[in-house]
Amino acid sequence: MKIVFMGTPEFAAASLKALVESNQYEIVAVVTQPDRPKGRGHKVMMSAVKEYALTQGLPVLQPERVKTPGFQEEMEKLQPELIVVAAFGQFLPKSLLDLPRFGCINVHASLLPRYRGAAPIHYAILKGETEAGVTIMQMDVGMDTGAMLSKVSVPVGPEMTQGELHDILKEKGAQLLLDTIPQLVAGTLQPVPQPAGEATYASLITRDMEKLDWNKTAEELHNQIRAFDPWPGSFTLLPDGKRLKIWKSRVLETAAQDLPGTVLRADSRGFWVACGQGSLEILECQPEGKKRMAAAPFINGKHVKAGDRLA
């Protein structure tokens, strides 16, 4: 079967790798986002999908927009029987969706119809879900609104980070893709429409979401910290105005009478912070210009003390 694969980040690369290593399909093209400047140095970087595709000698296309007539013509020349999409980052027009014999399918990192959109793994952790997963769906012109073909679910532990869940789901999604395509081709799958009334959305993660709001509950803050690990990270402001990233925490049942953001205790073991409800023990942090460290050596450096207020 001739397949065009469309994807960009590491999550998508796992699905492409599974297709290639299965030796069951001909990948006639890999479509990914154009190379972009990243990081502090703004070095131009290729996507994880492109990086893998080049190691396999696969043809790579990087259109700024897939809706242009020129790109449509390239796809028509390739005559794919199936288009597989995973975290690609662009909407596909109807003309492209209708092109392959077996349509276009999407590997989406949530249990649809929950968490449609760009950041489903972040939101599963952010909202304190105890279960997450991957759905493979038939694509239509909406945002993750197509009929569902298959699903796999995984438990989400109370300390699991976004990075840990991502690594589990990318492999689960890749295997689910390999299991789903033969059934799709054989016509044995029954597409299930998504119940629209149950839909929720996972919008893009933005910089203004990184700051910890100590007026929130300890559980909400704990979920934010692990949802933004390893990217983009959560931070608070120290009394001197410098940023302190918080990477690991633990919810304490202790009812704090102090104002939210007040350091309740700071000793050789770390420090506790009052929240809008409950309190949070900080286990791992990162001062400006430093590496991630356990909270204890940070406190030993006398950066904060009991009674200080974090903003």
Side-chain angles (χ1 to χ4, degrees):
M1 175 181 283
K2 295 168 68 175
I3 290 178
V4 166
F5 184 89
M6 297 184 173
T8 300
E10 187 182 341
F11 177 85
S15 288
L16 174 59
K17 185 171 184 282
L19 289 173
V20 171
E21 292 186 352
S22 73
N23 293 314
Q24 299 296 310
Y25 309 104
E26 181 187 358
I27 311 299
V28 293
V30 173
V31 185
T32 190
Q33 295 279 47
D35 298 354
R36 311 273 192 207
K38 294 181 181 178
R40 291 182 179 178
H42 298 286
K43 182 180 178 182
V44 176
M45 303 283 287
M46 68 180 70
S47 71
V49 163
K50 179 180 178 180
E51 192 172 347
Y52 176 75
L54 292 179
T55 68
Q56 302 302 306
L58 299 172
V60 176
L61 302 174
Q62 295 180 274
E64 284 287 347
R65 295 176 67 248
V66 296
K67 294 182 178 181
T68 61
F71 181 76
Q72 177 78 22
E73 290 171 8
E74 285 190 78
M75 289 296 99
E76 290 172 355
K77 289 177 184 176
L78 291 171
Q79 295 185 325
E81 296 170 90
L82 176 69
I83 293 178
V84 175
V85 180
F88 175 49
Q90 295 189 46
F91 284 100
L92 272 58
K94 190 174 187 303
S95 57
L96 202 54
L97 295 172
D98 293 340
L99 179 63
R101 174 184 171 193
F102 294 105
C104 301
I105 61 174
N106 180 266
V107 185
H108 185 73
S110 82
L111 297 174
L112 290 171
R114 294 182 64 77
Y115 304 121
R116 296 172 177 174
I121 303 177
H122 286 85
Y123 273 80
I125 302 283
L126 192 62
K127 299 300 183 181
E129 299 288 356
T130 57
E131 183 183 42
V134 177
T135 305
I136 293 183
M137 64 177 172
Q138 290 178 327
M139 295 180 68
D140 59 21
V141 293
M143 183 174 68
D144 303 325
T145 53
M148 302 176 291
L149 297 173
S150 56
K151 283 186 180 182
V152 62
S153 62
V154 300
V156 180
E159 308 302 324
M160 185 179 285
T161 66
Q162 177 262 134
E164 291 167 342
L165 180 57
H166 168 275
D167 288 351
I168 292 170
L169 293 184
K170 73 177 184 181
E171 299 301 334
K172 291 287 186 180
Q175 185 58 54
L176 185 65
L177 178 63
L178 293 184
D179 295 341
T180 301
I181 291 176
Q183 296 177 66
L184 175 68
V185 173
T188 57
L189 285 177
Q190 181 62 46
V192 179
Q194 294 186 40
E198 297 175 17
T200 60
Y201 292 87
S203 57
L204 283 169
I205 301 299
T206 56
R207 289 295 180 188
D208 60 351
M209 298 171 69
E210 297 175 37
K211 192 172 186 295
L212 293 166
D213 179 358
W214 296 106
N215 292 298
K216 292 182 178 180
T217 69
E219 185 173 355
E220 288 174 321
L221 292 168
H222 174 66
N223 289 343
Q224 177 184 331
I225 290 164
R226 61 197 187 96
F228 291 0
D229 181 1
W231 183 88
S234 298
F235 74 90
T236 188
L237 296 178
L238 294 169
D240 61 6
K242 290 184 178 180
R243 285 191 178 199
L244 178 69
K245 281 198 170 187
I246 307 296
W247 290 111
K248 194 172 182 181
S249 60
R250 180 168 60 197
V251 176
L252 302 171
E253 299 302 326
T254 310
Q257 302 301 316
D258 299 72
L259 290 172
T262 302
V263 177
L264 302 172
R265 191 184 84 183
D267 55 30
S268 59
R269 291 172 292 181
F271 61 108
W272 297 9
V273 184
C275 306
Q277 182 180 321
S279 54
L280 207 60
E281 182 178 12
I282 307 305
L283 302 174
E284 189 176 322
C285 58
Q286 183 178 2
E288 282 189 27
K290 304 286 186 181
K291 294 182 178 180
R292 290 170 68 149
M293 63 176 69
F298 173 74
I299 291 301
N300 290 341
K302 303 187 185 305
H303 295 285
V304 295
K305 62 183 183 302
D308 282 348
R309 187 102 186 271
L310 305 179

